[in-house]
Amino acid sequence: MALGKGLSAILDEVGQAYENETGGICAYSFGHVREIDVEDIAPNPYQPRKYFDEDALLELSESIKQHGLLQPIVVVDKGDDEYLLVAGERRLRAHELAELDTIKVIIADVDIDDAKLRELALIENIQRENLNSIELAHSYDELIKVYEITHDELSLVLHKSRSQITNTLRLLVLSDYVQKKLIQNDISQGHAKILVGFEEKEQKLFVDTIIGQKLSVREAERLARNSRNLNQKTVVS
């Protein structure tokens, strides 16, 4: 199955549409900008982003209340005054938090099926680096499975190195405890990668030590290396 064809063009046209809007032009080949009711917009069911920083959302909400929305969200018209969100869930949530009744949107003049909607949601978030490491890993994994492509093929589509994709995917083998700490930014991705290959109990012990002693990645690497050497000596003896 082809992946990525047309998506970068769609995102480019969204940006161009907004630039045209700010320049006073109100009609586009891609779509048009208007105000619609927030309650008429349904979220994208394929949104890969699961974690939204509440403090950052509150800041965005306050900014929107003071200065307005600088970049419209993107929706498709489903008919009967119902719209489906394509891009901009964080901005939509901020509007809801601000208790604003309407929001500025770009209505895309395109027919997007479920497959394209999933693809657009994944790649839009990946390209804009909106996902945490675990969400990114799940997104890579879903793209690979759904479209039956290799790491190399995905790297070409996303313009990411193959090693970056492979290393990110390896985070999914870590325990739920480690993944949660990574999502919460209690540890870095550099810390997490060190723990691949350790048993679940060892992973928890390492994470608690890294957090408790505020270890750098280099210090954590040294600790992990010493632990592996000790385990090897135990096996030999």
Side-chain angles (χ1 to χ4, degrees), residues 157-217:
V157 171
L158 301 180
H159 305 291
K160 307 281 186 181
S161 69
R162 185 192 184 284
S163 61
Q164 179 182 353
I165 288 173
T166 299
N167 287 333
T168 301
L169 284 166
R170 293 179 70 196
L171 298 175
L172 296 180
V173 305
L174 294 170
S175 68
D176 291 341
Y177 183 79
V178 176
Q179 291 187 28
K180 181 179 179 181
K181 294 300 182 183
L182 180 56
I183 291 172
Q184 295 174 339
N185 290 320
D186 292 328
I187 60 173
S188 70
Q189 184 171 340
H191 287 118
K193 288 192 297 184
I194 298 168
L195 305 179
V196 174
F198 283 100
E199 296 293 331
E200 185 171 337
K201 290 182 178 180
E202 291 179 302
Q203 290 180 22
K204 185 179 186 305
L205 179 61
F206 274 119
V207 167
D208 291 343
T209 301
I210 290 169
I211 295 173
Q213 299 185 21
K214 299 180 180 179
L215 299 182
S216 67
V217 172

Side-chain angles (χ1 to χ4, degrees), residues 112-126:
I112 300 180
D113 58 17
D114 286 351
K116 187 63 68 176
L117 190 62
R118 176 193 288 112
E119 187 178 331
L120 182 56
L122 288 168
I123 294 183
E124 192 253 349
N125 275 285
I126 290 170

Side-chain angles (χ1 to χ4, degrees), residues 27 35 84 103 140 155 223 237:
E35 292 266 349
L84 183 63
I103 186 171
Y140 288 167
S155 70
L223 181 65
S237 60

Side-chain angles (χ1 to χ4, degrees), residues 14-146:
V14 169
Q16 185 61 50
Y18 178 65
E19 290 178 9
N20 290 342
E21 168 67 9
T22 57
I25 301 174
C26 297
Y28 324 98
S29 59
F30 176 78
H32 57 282
V33 175
R34 58 177 287 194
E35 292 266 349
I36 65 175
D37 290 338
V38 170
E39 64 181 15
D40 291 338
I41 304 172
N44 184 341
Y46 301 109
Q47 167 63 256
R49 190 177 185 186
K50 307 302 181 185
Y51 177 77
F52 291 83
D53 186 291
E54 293 185 3
D55 291 336
L57 270 180
L58 183 59
E59 288 181 8
L60 178 59
S61 176
E62 291 298 325
S63 175
I64 289 173
K65 283 195 288 187
Q66 291 184 30
H67 308 293
L69 182 62
L70 298 182
Q71 184 176 8
I73 64 174
V74 182
V75 300
V76 290
D77 190 344
K78 304 299 289 183
D80 297 325
D81 292 325
E82 294 181 358
Y83 301 88
L84 183 63
L85 183 67
V86 174
E89 181 159 346
R90 184 168 173 269
R91 282 162 280 163
L92 179 61
R93 289 186 180 220
H95 267 69
E96 293 172 337
L97 190 60
E99 298 183 342
L100 298 174
D101 294 329
T102 62
I103 186 171
K104 184 181 291 186
V105 304
I106 293 175
I107 300 177
D109 292 332
V110 291
D111 184 19
I112 300 180
D113 58 17
D114 286 351
K116 187 63 68 176
L117 190 62
R118 176 193 288 112
E119 187 178 331
L120 182 56
L122 288 168
I123 294 183
E124 192 253 349
N125 275 285
I126 290 170
Q127 288 180 342
R128 298 187 180 187
E129 300 182 347
N130 287 335
L131 305 178
N132 62 53
S133 298
I134 298 302
E135 290 171 335
L136 190 61
H138 280 296
S139 296
Y140 288 167
D141 187 54
E142 183 174 355
L143 286 170
I144 288 170
K145 290 178 178 177
V146 170

